[in-house]
Amino acid sequence: MGGTGRRPNRRRGVAMRRHQRILGSRPGAGSAGRPSMGRRQFIGGAGAAALAAALAGCTGGGQMSRESGGSSGSLQWWDQFRPLTKMLQDHLFAPYMKEHPGVTIERRQMNVPDLGQALQVGRRSNQMPDVHSLAGLGTSAAALVSQGWFQPIGKLADFQGSPVGEFLYDGMHRFDGEVSSFPLFSGRWHEAVPWFNTAMLKQAGVDPEEEPGTWDKLRDVARRLTKGTDDGVYGIVVPSKETEYLQFLVNRLAMTAGAPGGIDWATGAYAYDAQQYVDAIEFLTALQTDKVVHPASPSMGPRDARARWAAGQAGVYLWGAWFIGGLRVDEPEAVERGVGTWHIPCPETTRNVVYSPPQSGTFWVSSQSKRAKDAAQLMLQMTTREFQARLAAAMDQPPVLTDVVEEAEVHPAYRRCVANFQDDVRIAPAPEVGTPGVWQVLAEMRDIHPNLGDIVQSVLTGSTSDVAGELRRYTDAMSAERERAIKVVREEKGVEVGTEAWVFANWDRKADYDQQAYAER
């Protein structure tokens, strides 16, 4: 999402919706063409006084920090990746400090909302960490670059010549020719993996090896689990308290029905009003009608749902690869009882793939940092195959060097999950990579409500039944907001960019949109 992410536009509930994902990183803003909240809204959010307590948030060990800025002279590192705590300390920080006796590294791990708030306060009070992730900020890296949050690191360490060099993209990791970050994780992933309780399936007479490859078969499995297990046990849990989870989920389900995502790359138009989105939402309502969804789902966030699943209250949970890593840290007994995974189901037996953009940068060096060289050199160590294999062993989002999973010490279900991604996921175009001016449009765009997640939540709670109408209004509003942002960027900043930047005529649905595809566009 444990740690979280990121991230993706599939991205995006507003940060104040308190996204509880605890592992992984979110996709880049280009995945549907906008950040989660506009620049003005982001800067004008909660006041520093109201957020000051965030700077006294929990550390990785759960203790309260004694002072907001950490020890004087130390290199400060803030992130949300709780399952990575031991690995980062033992295999990144400790070796670096041993080789550089004058460097002390202090890491603080926080929940996503707390981290986002702490970063906002830290920037306003000149107490930023040297290195941090973007979790909880609810906006694109491009928007933050435009506000001067970061400093380039490409001249301080050779990221271009590192094992991850081929995964560096303009508009995501490079800005104005300068490398500012790199992808720690792979872009070949999705957050709708069906994770199942092996013991519960066997109790209900369901063969874990027989995949429910269609929506109807998954509904049948959920019904059998609900009826064939103990009272109080349900077939599936769908945490719907947080709209961002619902937005992710419906996007992925719509793709399995044949949608390209929130944008039709052949035309560049927003496509949330496509029939596939209606079908995906109706599939979720059908699960409710079947009475196979855990009844407390409306009050659950993703973390709550994982805890309920781990407690044996639900048999299936659609979430990301980081699910099992989080279980191993917080509910290891659930892993011991048995956990498995399937391919993401499609509406029919015909398989459609899902699309994710290239993975955006994970860690960034603050423009306030006085230790940028040490920070960059430390981050460079994360690009080695050795570190990537250790990252895979934490079973978070798959590492950017995905092939190391085969040699890493991981649970068989995680290995299978990552292997399934190779079948099920293709890398989508990212407009900000193809046209430099797009990131300025993304930075200018304001949040639209109700967004996709809001609409899904309203349908599931019975607040609205006009699914097609709500999706059409959202699509129209997104289109109008993009047009407005383009006009502002063109007229006020002199940037030549138009809606054609979202058109990728050479996009092949069955292939990755790679560096060569951008060059041949």
Side-chain angles (χ1 to χ4, degrees):
M1 101 326 137
T4 159
R6 313 46 19 356
R7 6 280 216 72
N9 203 324
R10 283 188 285 271
R11 262 179 89 102
R12 312 302 176 204
V14 177
M16 288 182 285
R17 289 190 179 274
R18 305 273 177 165
H19 177 40
Q20 293 294 317
R21 173 177 166 183
I22 56 173
L23 280 164
S25 297
R26 290 191 272 181
S31 59
R34 70 173 181 91
S36 67
M37 63 171 68
R39 178 171 54 194
R40 297 177 182 85
Q41 181 182 354
F42 171 72
I43 295 175
L51 299 177
L55 284 172
C58 290
T59 65
Q63 298 83 19
M64 299 302 290
S65 297
R66 288 174 294 181
E67 55 181 340
S68 62
S71 300
S72 176
S74 62
L75 189 155
Q76 296 291 309
W77 179 295
W78 294 2
D79 67 55
Q80 76 285 4
F81 299 101
R82 184 165 179 262
L84 303 187
T85 295
K86 181 174 174 55
M87 190 267 289
L88 289 173
Q89 182 60 43
D90 293 350
H91 302 291
L92 182 65
F93 302 149
Y96 191 86
M97 288 188 287
K98 183 177 181 180
E99 294 176 8
H100 303 80
V103 178
T104 300
I105 303 168
E106 293 190 356
R107 173 177 177 262
R108 296 176 60 204
Q109 176 267 319
M110 291 174 264
N111 291 333
V112 173
D114 296 335
L115 177 58
Q117 292 177 349
L119 288 169
Q120 292 185 54
V121 175
R123 180 164 169 80
R124 294 173 184 173
S125 58
N126 292 318
Q127 297 184 77
M128 286 291 283
D130 298 279
V131 180
H132 64 88
S133 66
L134 306 186
L137 290 176
T139 193
S140 68
L144 300 176
V145 167
S146 73
Q147 298 166 29
W149 275 61
F150 316 121
Q151 55 183 297
I153 56 176
K155 293 179 180 178
L156 303 176
D158 186 15
F159 291 94
Q160 192 66 58
S162 76
V164 306
E166 65 180 291
F167 301 102
L168 298 178
Y169 286 85
D170 292 329
M172 279 192 169
H173 316 104
R174 279 189 302 260
F175 299 88
D176 296 326
E178 298 278 0
V179 175
S180 291
S181 187
F182 68 97
L184 181 62
F185 301 103
S186 171
R188 198 179 305 281
W189 65 284
H190 65 78
E191 56 286 83
V193 177
W195 293 96
F196 58 80
N197 180 317
T198 305
M200 193 177 295
L201 260 65
K202 291 179 179 178
Q203 181 184 351
V206 178
D207 183 359
E209 295 301 318
E210 187 174 337
E211 294 208 17
T214 67
W215 291 358
D216 283 344
K217 288 184 178 179
L218 183 60
R219 285 179 66 185
D220 180 63
V221 166
R223 287 192 291 263
R224 292 171 66 183
L225 284 168
T226 304
K227 295 178 181 178
T229 51
D230 300 331
D231 291 341
V233 174
Y234 295 85
I236 192 167
V237 59
V238 183
S240 49
K241 177 182 178 181
E242 320 238 344
T243 59
E244 191 169 27
Y245 173 85
L246 296 174
Q247 184 155 300
F248 285 144
L249 179 60
V250 168
N251 257 307
R252 298 310 194 176
L253 292 174
M255 290 177 190
T256 69
I263 288 179
D264 182 348
W265 303 117
T267 65
Y270 284 99
Y272 291 108
D273 57 347
Q275 182 60 41
Q276 292 95 335
Y277 280 88
V278 176
D279 294 342
I281 295 173
E282 289 181 348
F283 169 62
L284 294 181
T285 59
L287 291 173
Q288 284 197 162
T289 301
D290 291 345
K291 300 186 184 304
V292 299
V293 178
H294 195 296
S297 290
S299 63
M300 292 186 204
R303 176 183 290 178
D304 304 320
R306 193 192 68 194
R308 297 287 189 122
W309 184 96
Q313 296 180 20
V316 177
Y317 181 18
L318 292 137
W319 202 204
W322 53 87
F323 176 78
I324 190 169
L327 285 176
R328 190 180 65 172
V329 171
D330 292 328
E331 294 98 4
E333 66 283 354
V335 179
E336 294 298 322
R337 286 197 300 269
V339 56
T341 184
W342 296 309
H343 287 276
I344 185 172
C346 299
E348 307 294 339
T349 54
T350 301
R351 299 290 301 173
N352 293 308
V353 296
V354 300
Y355 305 98
S356 291
Q359 187 65 34
S360 60
T362 308
F363 295 108
W364 304 73
V365 177
S366 168
S367 58
Q368 297 179 13
S369 175
K370 305 299 183 184
R371 294 177 170 268
K373 185 173 182 179
D374 278 324
Q377 292 290 338
L378 181 62
M379 290 164 64
L380 184 65
Q381 302 306 307
M382 305 177 86
T383 70
T384 66
R385 289 187 62 83
E386 180 182 10
F387 183 89
Q388 287 277 302
R390 294 187 184 281
L391 180 62
M395 294 185 290
D396 193 294
Q397 186 173 326
V400 64
L401 304 181
T402 312
D403 62 313
V404 302
V405 174
E406 286 301 315
E407 61 197 58
E409 296 182 7
V410 300
H411 191 283
Y414 181 82
R415 184 173 285 111
R416 182 171 183 177
C417 172
V418 176
N420 287 349
F421 287 156
Q422 311 311 304
D423 299 330
D424 295 343
V425 184
R426 296 294 176 267
I427 302 300
E432 64 269 44
V433 174
T435 305
V438 165
W439 71 265
Q440 296 194 50
V441 176
L442 299 180
E444 175 62 34
M445 288 181 71
R446 299 174 298 203
D447 199 30
I448 298 295
H449 284 285
N451 62 23
L452 179 60
D454 298 329
I455 293 168
V456 178
Q457 187 182 67
S458 294
V459 173
L460 294 180
T461 58
S463 298
T464 183
S465 60
D466 184 16
V467 179
E470 292 287 353
L471 291 174
R472 184 173 59 254
R473 284 185 283 274
Y474 176 55
T475 300
D476 291 344
M478 286 294 298
S479 300
E481 177 56 20
R482 183 173 63 179
E483 290 289 351
R484 185 202 64 79
I486 288 173
K487 183 177 180 181
V488 169
V489 169
R490 288 174 65 96
E491 294 181 356
E492 296 184 7
K493 300 182 180 180
V495 177
E496 288 300 318
V497 62
T499 54
E500 67 278 0
W502 281 260
V503 179
F504 294 83
N506 64 339
W507 177 53
D508 180 351
R509 279 178 171 266
K510 297 181 180 179
D512 291 335
Y513 202 88
D514 56 17
Q515 302 271 16
Q516 183 177 349
Y518 287 103
E520 297 175 349
R521 182 183 175 199

